[in-house]
Amino acid sequence: MNDSSWGAPPTAGHRRPPDQGAAPAGPAYDEHPAQQTRPMPIVPDGPAGGGDQDDHRGAARPGGPLFRDEIPQEPMAAPMPPPPKKRAGRDLRAAIGVGVGLGAVVVASLFIVKAVFVGVVAVAVVVGLWELTSRLDEKKGIKAPLVPLAVGGAAMVVAGYASGAEGAWVAMALTALAVLVWRMTAPPEGYLRDVTAGVFAAFYVPFLATFVALMLTADDGARRVLMFLVLTVVSDTGAYAVGWRFGKHKLAPRISPGKTREGLIGAVAFAMAAGALCMQFLIDDGVWWQGLLIGLAVAASATLGDLGESMIKRDLGIKDMGTLLPGHGGIMDRLDSLLPTAPVVWLLLVLFVGSG
């Protein structure tokens, strides 16, 4: 409300009564003195007018009524809210807590008893197979047999650690054969579809994980596995941090809309720096420039692995493979970049420093 109109000259169309002076004697004035000071009501104009509005709060003043002009004002525009802060796409506290817990379990088992670490890998493989086959069944009706996959997958990891690459290949072949035979107990409809998915699952999860067990067989195997884990985690962290802060150009929008080219650059830079340090100080006979190449390869394989699982999830119409790990999703959502990176790191380490 604008109070500046108080005491303004009367507007056009309204005459102010002349000064009455002393009221004349007579019964009419003596009996109703209040009529002298009561302001005359003003009928407000219509929407198109700008006339005064009645104000019943006007005080009596000598010399005539006092009118209050109320000029309507435009409503004040609401202040624009500040732009929302850019938020991460997941619960960082839960993700960090779960990540630290998993890391503690892995490192403790890795450097205390190698066989315990092999068991941790086998458990992760079985849970990952369960998540993958469950989503295939729920979303596509594909019934990849879980029992032969779980038994064969765990055997694959153990055989790789105990007998090397030959043992891993034999276990892979036997697992595929078990999938073919196990599916014969069900009706023939969808047989080819189901066994194809089963063989794919056997290769994708346990066979690729077997290369972690192969790295562990070297004399400095625990440090090789630690380097593999550190580089993969650092690559993912660099991609996430740089992409979240600076990402503008999409890397593969139809596959994973959240990934950016800037994030890929961050993954490469972080992984190469970590690779140089790890190769120089962790690996026997390692040289820093070899770590640069390994870091570059890890960034590429981890990104491709992440995109590969994103393709599977897009095809299935899901966001995460599971809900076992708060802030991360399922086990497969953490293995997606680790699985394809394991054979890459194993091969480059064999080429640079040997298998011993």
Side-chain angles (χ1 to χ4, degrees), residues 308-332:
E309 190 181 350
S310 294
M311 282 286 286
I312 297 174
K313 291 189 285 190
R314 293 290 178 272
D315 188 23
L316 296 177
I318 58 177
K319 183 178 184 296
D320 294 316
M321 281 289 187
T323 58
L324 187 61
L325 305 176
H328 293 268
I331 288 289
M332 284 300 300

PDB file of all heavy atoms in Angstrom, residues 308-332:
ATOM      1  N   GLY A 308      29.742 -51.254 -21.591  1.00  0.00           N
ATOM      2  CA  GLY A 308      29.197 -52.560 -21.948  1.00  0.00           C
ATOM      3  C   GLY A 308      28.066 -52.971 -21.017  1.00  0.00           C
ATOM      4  O   GLY A 308      27.009 -53.440 -21.473  1.00  0.00           O
ATOM      5  N   GLU A 309      28.265 -52.806 -19.717  1.00  0.00           N
ATOM      6  CA  GLU A 309      27.172 -53.159 -18.816  1.00  0.00           C
ATOM      7  C   GLU A 309      26.014 -52.187 -18.935  1.00  0.00           C
ATOM      8  O   GLU A 309      24.850 -52.555 -18.755  1.00  0.00           O
ATOM      9  CB  GLU A 309      27.647 -53.219 -17.360  1.00  0.00           C
ATOM     10  CG  GLU A 309      26.572 -53.826 -16.478  1.00  0.00           C
ATOM     11  CD  GLU A 309      26.952 -53.905 -15.027  1.00  0.00           C
ATOM     12  OE1 GLU A 309      28.123 -53.667 -14.712  1.00  0.00           O
ATOM     13  OE2 GLU A 309      26.068 -54.200 -14.208  1.00  0.00           O
ATOM     14  N   SER A 310      26.318 -50.921 -19.256  1.00  0.00           N
ATOM     15  CA  SER A 310      25.224 -49.976 -19.475  1.00  0.00           C
ATOM     16  C   SER A 310      24.361 -50.416 -20.655  1.00  0.00           C
ATOM     17  O   SER A 310      23.130 -50.251 -20.628  1.00  0.00           O
ATOM     18  CB  SER A 310      25.785 -48.569 -19.732  1.00  0.00           C
ATOM     19  OG  SER A 310      26.432 -48.061 -18.586  1.00  0.00           O
ATOM     20  N   MET A 311      24.987 -50.970 -21.681  1.00  0.00           N
ATOM     21  CA  MET A 311      24.212 -51.497 -22.807  1.00  0.00           C
ATOM     22  C   MET A 311      23.288 -52.615 -22.342  1.00  0.00           C
ATOM     23  O   MET A 311      22.112 -52.687 -22.740  1.00  0.00           O
ATOM     24  CB  MET A 311      25.161 -52.009 -23.889  1.00  0.00           C
ATOM     25  CG  MET A 311      25.779 -50.931 -24.740  1.00  0.00           C
ATOM     26  SD  MET A 311      24.610 -50.211 -25.912  1.00  0.00           S
ATOM     27  CE  MET A 311      24.500 -51.526 -27.115  1.00  0.00           C
ATOM     28  N   ILE A 312      23.805 -53.515 -21.505  1.00  0.00           N
ATOM     29  CA  ILE A 312      22.975 -54.614 -20.991  1.00  0.00           C
ATOM     30  C   ILE A 312      21.814 -54.058 -20.180  1.00  0.00           C
ATOM     31  O   ILE A 312      20.655 -54.484 -20.343  1.00  0.00           O
ATOM     32  CB  ILE A 312      23.836 -55.569 -20.141  1.00  0.00           C
ATOM     33  CG1 ILE A 312      24.918 -56.222 -21.000  1.00  0.00           C
ATOM     34  CG2 ILE A 312      22.966 -56.635 -19.484  1.00  0.00           C
ATOM     35  CD1 ILE A 312      25.899 -57.065 -20.214  1.00  0.00           C
ATOM     36  N   LYS A 313      22.088 -53.095 -19.317  1.00  0.00           N
ATOM     37  CA  LYS A 313      21.029 -52.533 -18.478  1.00  0.00           C
ATOM     38  C   LYS A 313      20.017 -51.754 -19.309  1.00  0.00           C
ATOM     39  O   LYS A 313      18.814 -51.782 -19.009  1.00  0.00           O
ATOM     40  CB  LYS A 313      21.643 -51.661 -17.384  1.00  0.00           C
ATOM     41  CG  LYS A 313      22.425 -52.469 -16.352  1.00  0.00           C
ATOM     42  CD  LYS A 313      22.838 -51.637 -15.158  1.00  0.00           C
ATOM     43  CE  LYS A 313      23.972 -50.713 -15.481  1.00  0.00           C
ATOM     44  NZ  LYS A 313      24.525 -50.069 -14.257  1.00  0.00           N
ATOM     45  N   ARG A 314      20.454 -51.061 -20.343  1.00  0.00           N
ATOM     46  CA  ARG A 314      19.508 -50.373 -21.229  1.00  0.00           C
ATOM     47  C   ARG A 314      18.611 -51.386 -21.927  1.00  0.00           C
ATOM     48  O   ARG A 314      17.410 -51.167 -22.085  1.00  0.00           O
ATOM     49  CB  ARG A 314      20.255 -49.539 -22.270  1.00  0.00           C
ATOM     50  CG  ARG A 314      21.016 -48.360 -21.718  1.00  0.00           C
ATOM     51  CD  ARG A 314      20.078 -47.259 -21.228  1.00  0.00           C
ATOM     52  NE  ARG A 314      20.848 -46.165 -20.659  1.00  0.00           N
ATOM     53  CZ  ARG A 314      21.227 -46.087 -19.397  1.00  0.00           C
ATOM     54  NH1 ARG A 314      20.916 -47.063 -18.566  1.00  0.00           N
ATOM     55  NH2 ARG A 314      21.906 -45.057 -18.948  1.00  0.00           N
ATOM     56  N   ASP A 315      19.197 -52.475 -22.372  1.00  0.00           N
ATOM     57  CA  ASP A 315      18.404 -53.502 -23.035  1.00  0.00           C
ATOM     58  C   ASP A 315      17.386 -54.121 -22.085  1.00  0.00           C
ATOM     59  O   ASP A 315      16.252 -54.427 -22.469  1.00  0.00           O
ATOM     60  CB  ASP A 315      19.330 -54.577 -23.600  1.00  0.00           C
ATOM     61  CG  ASP A 315      18.602 -55.581 -24.477  1.00  0.00           C
ATOM     62  OD1 ASP A 315      17.520 -55.244 -24.998  1.00  0.00           O
ATOM     63  OD2 ASP A 315      19.093 -56.701 -24.643  1.00  0.00           O
ATOM     64  N   LEU A 316      17.774 -54.272 -20.828  1.00  0.00           N
ATOM     65  CA  LEU A 316      16.870 -54.850 -19.831  1.00  0.00           C
ATOM     66  C   LEU A 316      15.910 -53.820 -19.245  1.00  0.00           C
ATOM     67  O   LEU A 316      14.938 -54.188 -18.578  1.00  0.00           O
ATOM     68  CB  LEU A 316      17.676 -55.482 -18.695  1.00  0.00           C
ATOM     69  CG  LEU A 316      18.563 -56.670 -19.068  1.00  0.00           C
ATOM     70  CD1 LEU A 316      19.353 -57.150 -17.856  1.00  0.00           C
ATOM     71  CD2 LEU A 316      17.743 -57.811 -19.643  1.00  0.00           C
ATOM     72  N   GLY A 317      16.192 -52.533 -19.465  1.00  0.00           N
ATOM     73  CA  GLY A 317      15.326 -51.491 -18.928  1.00  0.00           C
ATOM     74  C   GLY A 317      15.458 -51.293 -17.435  1.00  0.00           C
ATOM     75  O   GLY A 317      14.474 -51.007 -16.749  1.00  0.00           O
ATOM     76  N   ILE A 318      16.674 -51.401 -16.902  1.00  0.00           N
ATOM     77  CA  ILE A 318      16.907 -51.235 -15.469  1.00  0.00           C
ATOM     78  C   ILE A 318      18.020 -50.224 -15.251  1.00  0.00           C
ATOM     79  O   ILE A 318      18.815 -49.942 -16.156  1.00  0.00           O
ATOM     80  CB  ILE A 318      17.273 -52.577 -14.791  1.00  0.00           C
ATOM     81  CG1 ILE A 318      18.526 -53.173 -15.443  1.00  0.00           C
ATOM     82  CG2 ILE A 318      16.110 -53.548 -14.862  1.00  0.00           C
ATOM     83  CD1 ILE A 318      18.998 -54.467 -14.792  1.00  0.00           C
ATOM     84  N   LYS A 319      18.077 -49.689 -14.035  1.00  0.00           N
ATOM     85  CA  LYS A 319      19.130 -48.731 -13.692  1.00  0.00           C
ATOM     86  C   LYS A 319      20.326 -49.420 -13.057  1.00  0.00           C
ATOM     87  O   LYS A 319      21.469 -49.086 -13.334  1.00  0.00           O
ATOM     88  CB  LYS A 319      18.577 -47.665 -12.747  1.00  0.00           C
ATOM     89  CG  LYS A 319      19.577 -46.574 -12.378  1.00  0.00           C
ATOM     90  CD  LYS A 319      18.936 -45.534 -11.476  1.00  0.00           C
ATOM     91  CE  LYS A 319      19.901 -44.397 -11.173  1.00  0.00           C
ATOM     92  NZ  LYS A 319      21.085 -44.853 -10.414  1.00  0.00           N
ATOM     93  N   ASP A 320      20.059 -50.362 -12.164  1.00  0.00           N
ATOM     94  CA  ASP A 320      21.114 -51.092 -11.465  1.00  0.00           C
ATOM     95  C   ASP A 320      20.829 -52.587 -11.568  1.00  0.00           C
ATOM     96  O   ASP A 320      19.679 -53.011 -11.709  1.00  0.00           O
ATOM     97  CB  ASP A 320      21.201 -50.684  -9.995  1.00  0.00           C
ATOM     98  CG  ASP A 320      21.650 -49.247  -9.815  1.00  0.00           C
ATOM     99  OD1 ASP A 320      22.585 -48.822 -10.501  1.00  0.00           O
ATOM    100  OD2 ASP A 320      21.045 -48.556  -8.973  1.00  0.00           O
ATOM    101  N   MET A 321      21.894 -53.373 -11.466  1.00  0.00           N
ATOM    102  CA  MET A 321      21.748 -54.819 -11.500  1.00  0.00           C
ATOM    103  C   MET A 321      21.215 -55.382 -10.185  1.00  0.00           C
ATOM    104  O   MET A 321      20.719 -56.500 -10.139  1.00  0.00           O
ATOM    105  CB  MET A 321      23.096 -55.480 -11.821  1.00  0.00           C
ATOM    106  CG  MET A 321      23.445 -55.447 -13.293  1.00  0.00           C
ATOM    107  SD  MET A 321      22.402 -56.549 -14.255  1.00  0.00           S
ATOM    108  CE  MET A 321      23.196 -56.420 -15.860  1.00  0.00           C
ATOM    109  N   GLY A 322      21.349 -54.620  -9.106  1.00  0.00           N
ATOM    110  CA  GLY A 322      20.895 -55.096  -7.810  1.00  0.00           C
ATOM    111  C   GLY A 322      20.872 -53.966  -6.807  1.00  0.00           C
ATOM    112  O   GLY A 322      21.110 -52.798  -7.151  1.00  0.00           O
ATOM    113  N   THR A 323      20.584 -54.308  -5.563  1.00  0.00           N
ATOM    114  CA  THR A 323      20.503 -53.319  -4.481  1.00  0.00           C
ATOM    115  C   THR A 323      21.319 -53.751  -3.267  1.00  0.00           C
ATOM    116  O   THR A 323      21.102 -53.237  -2.169  1.00  0.00           O
ATOM    117  CB  THR A 323      19.034 -53.118  -4.064  1.00  0.00           C
ATOM    118  OG1 THR A 323      18.482 -54.385  -3.657  1.00  0.00           O
ATOM    119  CG2 THR A 323      18.206 -52.557  -5.215  1.00  0.00           C
ATOM    120  N   LEU A 324      22.238 -54.667  -3.471  1.00  0.00           N
ATOM    121  CA  LEU A 324      22.973 -55.226  -2.338  1.00  0.00           C
ATOM    122  C   LEU A 324      23.904 -54.211  -1.691  1.00  0.00           C
ATOM    123  O   LEU A 324      24.118 -54.236  -0.476  1.00  0.00           O
ATOM    124  CB  LEU A 324      23.775 -56.455  -2.805  1.00  0.00           C
ATOM    125  CG  LEU A 324      24.472 -57.278  -1.735  1.00  0.00           C
ATOM    126  CD1 LEU A 324      23.464 -57.861  -0.757  1.00  0.00           C
ATOM    127  CD2 LEU A 324      25.300 -58.396  -2.379  1.00  0.00           C
ATOM    128  N   LEU A 325      24.462 -53.304  -2.485  1.00  0.00           N
ATOM    129  CA  LEU A 325      25.451 -52.340  -1.984  1.00  0.00           C
ATOM    130  C   LEU A 325      24.856 -50.941  -2.002  1.00  0.00           C
ATOM    131  O   LEU A 325      24.699 -50.350  -3.075  1.00  0.00           O
ATOM    132  CB  LEU A 325      26.728 -52.381  -2.838  1.00  0.00           C
ATOM    133  CG  LEU A 325      27.407 -53.743  -2.981  1.00  0.00           C
ATOM    134  CD1 LEU A 325      28.598 -53.640  -3.920  1.00  0.00           C
ATOM    135  CD2 LEU A 325      27.839 -54.277  -1.623  1.00  0.00           C
ATOM    136  N   PRO A 326      24.487 -50.367  -0.855  1.00  0.00           N
ATOM    137  CA  PRO A 326      23.921 -49.012  -0.833  1.00  0.00           C
ATOM    138  C   PRO A 326      24.876 -47.995  -1.451  1.00  0.00           C
ATOM    139  O   PRO A 326      26.074 -47.990  -1.175  1.00  0.00           O
ATOM    140  CB  PRO A 326      23.713 -48.736   0.662  1.00  0.00           C
ATOM    141  CG  PRO A 326      23.626 -50.093   1.293  1.00  0.00           C
ATOM    142  CD  PRO A 326      24.533 -50.975   0.493  1.00  0.00           C
ATOM    143  N   GLY A 327      24.334 -47.136  -2.310  1.00  0.00           N
ATOM    144  CA  GLY A 327      25.149 -46.124  -2.969  1.00  0.00           C
ATOM    145  C   GLY A 327      25.859 -46.619  -4.202  1.00  0.00           C
ATOM    146  O   GLY A 327      26.435 -45.822  -4.949  1.00  0.00           O
ATOM    147  N   HIS A 328      25.859 -47.926  -4.434  1.00  0.00           N
ATOM    148  CA  HIS A 328      26.536 -48.499  -5.600  1.00  0.00           C
ATOM    149  C   HIS A 328      25.585 -49.283  -6.494  1.00  0.00           C
ATOM    150  O   HIS A 328      25.794 -49.367  -7.695  1.00  0.00           O
ATOM    151  CB  HIS A 328      27.671 -49.441  -5.147  1.00  0.00           C
ATOM    152  CG  HIS A 328      28.800 -48.740  -4.470  1.00  0.00           C
ATOM    153  ND1 HIS A 328      29.913 -48.280  -5.134  1.00  0.00           N
ATOM    154  CD2 HIS A 328      28.985 -48.409  -3.170  1.00  0.00           C
ATOM    155  CE1 HIS A 328      30.740 -47.711  -4.274  1.00  0.00           C
ATOM    156  NE2 HIS A 328      30.202 -47.772  -3.077  1.00  0.00           N
ATOM    157  N   GLY A 329      24.575 -49.893  -5.922  1.00  0.00           N
ATOM    158  CA  GLY A 329      23.712 -50.789  -6.683  1.00  0.00           C
ATOM    159  C   GLY A 329      23.963 -52.223  -6.265  1.00  0.00           C
ATOM    160  O   GLY A 329      23.860 -52.582  -5.097  1.00  0.00           O
ATOM    161  N   GLY A 330      24.308 -53.057  -7.240  1.00  0.00           N
ATOM    162  CA  GLY A 330      24.606 -54.444  -6.963  1.00  0.00           C
ATOM    163  C   GLY A 330      26.085 -54.752  -7.143  1.00  0.00           C
ATOM    164  O   GLY A 330      26.887 -53.881  -7.500  1.00  0.00           O
ATOM    165  N   ILE A 331      26.437 -56.006  -6.906  1.00  0.00           N
ATOM    166  CA  ILE A 331      27.825 -56.436  -7.102  1.00  0.00           C
ATOM    167  C   ILE A 331      28.253 -56.215  -8.552  1.00  0.00           C
ATOM    168  O   ILE A 331      29.356 -55.740  -8.837  1.00  0.00           O
ATOM    169  CB  ILE A 331      27.982 -57.923  -6.710  1.00  0.00           C
ATOM    170  CG1 ILE A 331      27.898 -58.079  -5.182  1.00  0.00           C
ATOM    171  CG2 ILE A 331      29.303 -58.495  -7.226  1.00  0.00           C
ATOM    172  CD1 ILE A 331      29.091 -57.550  -4.442  1.00  0.00           C
ATOM    173  N   MET A 332      27.365 -56.550  -9.489  1.00  0.00           N
ATOM    174  CA  MET A 332      27.719 -56.374 -10.898  1.00  0.00           C
ATOM    175  C   MET A 332      27.943 -54.915 -11.268  1.00  0.00           C
ATOM    176  O   MET A 332      28.694 -54.613 -12.202  1.00  0.00           O
ATOM    177  CB  MET A 332      26.626 -56.976 -11.791  1.00  0.00           C
ATOM    178  CG  MET A 332      26.647 -58.485 -11.871  1.00  0.00           C
ATOM    179  SD  MET A 332      28.211 -59.127 -12.529  1.00  0.00           S
ATOM    180  CE  MET A 332      28.261 -58.374 -14.150  1.00  0.00           C
TER     181      MET A 332
END
